[in-house]
Amino acid sequence: MKYTVITGASSGIGYEAALAFAARGKNVIVIARREEKLEELKSEIQKNQPDVNVMVMPADLSVSENVYQLYEDLSEFELETWINNAGFGNFDPIAEHDLSKIEKMLRLNNEALTILSSLFVRDYENKAGTQLINVSSGGGYTIVANAVTYCATKFFVSAFTEGLAQELSGKGAAMQAKVLAPAATETEFINRSFDNDELKYEGNVPQYHTAKEMAQFLLELYDSDQVVGIVDGKTYEFHLQDPIYPYVSRSTDSD
């Protein structure tokens, strides 16, 4: 029995992605801090897809020790797809950063994603049909004012995943690595970024996608042979394309 792993599955894109993969008959392992939200997701999936197996794994991946423990706990399962969706943002000038929040963001957006990606690649890169999808952002390709540090974390996600995709391809590995780059999406992202639970997208954000729409874009990326799935920040159209960042293989180096 094979599983699709989705981190950050308690709300937003991760929640809708779990529903979308389950609708295709994929067994899912859903991961997030809030166990009660994961149990709600499990109930919703099993109500509509009773034959799908749903494993709930509560974990705070901003704590380094939890990242390794989570992967160890998953060793008994056969994995097929890993989606690193967990992450959060921050909007304020760098001089005004709450550094404890920034440290947590760096651990979640970059450290946890890198460790989990590396462990998954180590175990599954030569198994046919496996995919790693890391969720970046339009802010992983454009620097947004007052979100410089957040964008930097997503530039890392985009560069890391695009580079991994070309590394895997270059050595003929079976696994595919892909990066999803949403633009504004109606999730809890805005609330956590501004530390304001009352903020709403409607009336504050001129254009955005719903989390359900982004989950469908994620499926389009999953079904394709392209590396990047990105939302155009001006038109809000979704595009599948080749890697965006330049990549130089060691064989072409002059050293």
Side-chain angles (χ1 to χ4, degrees):
M1 184 179 294
K2 296 181 180 180
Y3 286 85
T4 294
V5 178
I6 304 173
T7 71
S10 60
S11 66
I13 296 171
Y15 191 98
E16 294 294 341
L19 293 175
F21 275 85
R24 290 189 170 193
K26 301 287 188 182
N27 301 306
V28 293
I29 299 173
V30 292
I31 300 159
R33 292 173 300 126
R34 297 175 294 181
E35 185 172 4
E36 71 280 3
K37 294 291 186 180
L38 295 178
E39 292 292 349
E40 290 174 16
L41 172 58
K42 179 177 180 177
S43 296
E44 186 172 354
I45 290 173
Q46 294 187 326
K47 178 176 65 179
N48 297 308
Q49 281 84 35
D51 294 332
V52 167
N53 197 9
V54 182
M55 302 300 299
V56 167
M57 303 284 256
D60 182 353
L61 298 179
S62 68
V63 178
S64 302
E65 297 78 18
N66 294 349
V67 178
Y68 288 97
Q69 187 60 55
L70 170 70
Y71 195 82
E72 184 177 334
D73 291 343
L74 295 180
S75 61
E76 63 184 282
F77 301 100
E78 183 179 1
L79 308 181
E80 181 178 42
T81 303
W82 191 294
I83 301 170
N84 279 312
N85 169 70
F88 66 88
N90 184 75
F91 284 86
D92 55 40
I94 290 173
E96 298 176 17
H97 276 350
D98 172 352
L99 290 178
S100 63
K101 180 181 180 182
I102 297 301
E103 288 175 355
K104 195 169 186 177
M105 183 175 72
L106 291 168
R107 288 195 297 269
L108 183 60
N109 292 13
N110 295 151
E111 180 184 299
L113 178 140
T114 303
I115 291 168
L116 292 172
S117 296
S118 301
L119 291 170
F120 183 59
V121 171
R122 185 178 298 173
D123 289 342
Y124 286 92
E125 67 174 342
N126 293 315
K127 295 194 177 182
T130 54
Q131 290 197 37
L132 169 70
I133 302 177
N134 287 330
V135 178
S136 180
S137 166
Y141 295 95
T142 302
I143 301 173
V144 179
N146 285 341
V148 172
T149 305
Y150 167 69
C151 290
T153 71
K154 291 303 187 177
F155 266 71
F156 176 90
V157 172
S158 297
F160 172 79
T161 312
E162 287 193 18
L164 172 60
Q166 296 190 79
E167 180 180 293
L168 291 170
S169 176
K171 62 182 182 179
M175 178 185 289
Q176 292 178 291
K178 302 174 180 179
V179 57
L180 179 72
T185 306
E186 188 178 22
T187 67
E188 294 177 355
F189 174 85
I190 192 172
N191 308 107
R192 196 163 185 196
S193 297
F194 289 97
D195 296 314
N196 185 339
D197 291 338
E198 303 303 318
L199 277 178
K200 304 294 182 185
Y201 277 76
E202 188 172 354
N204 289 302
V205 181
Q207 195 170 9
Y208 56 87
H209 289 113
T210 65
K212 189 171 185 177
E213 287 173 323
M214 278 310 311
Q216 292 305 309
F217 293 155
L218 193 157
L219 281 180
E220 288 183 36
L221 177 62
Y222 174 82
D223 289 336
S224 79
D225 288 323
Q226 297 294 97
V227 171
V228 178
I230 188 168
V231 174
D232 186 299
K234 294 181 179 178
T235 66
Y236 270 63
E237 294 177 350
F238 181 67
H239 301 286
L240 296 169
Q241 61 186 82
D242 293 331
I244 295 170
Y245 288 131
Y247 180 80
V248 180
S249 66
R250 289 291 296 273
S251 61
T252 61
D253 288 346
S254 58
D255 294 341

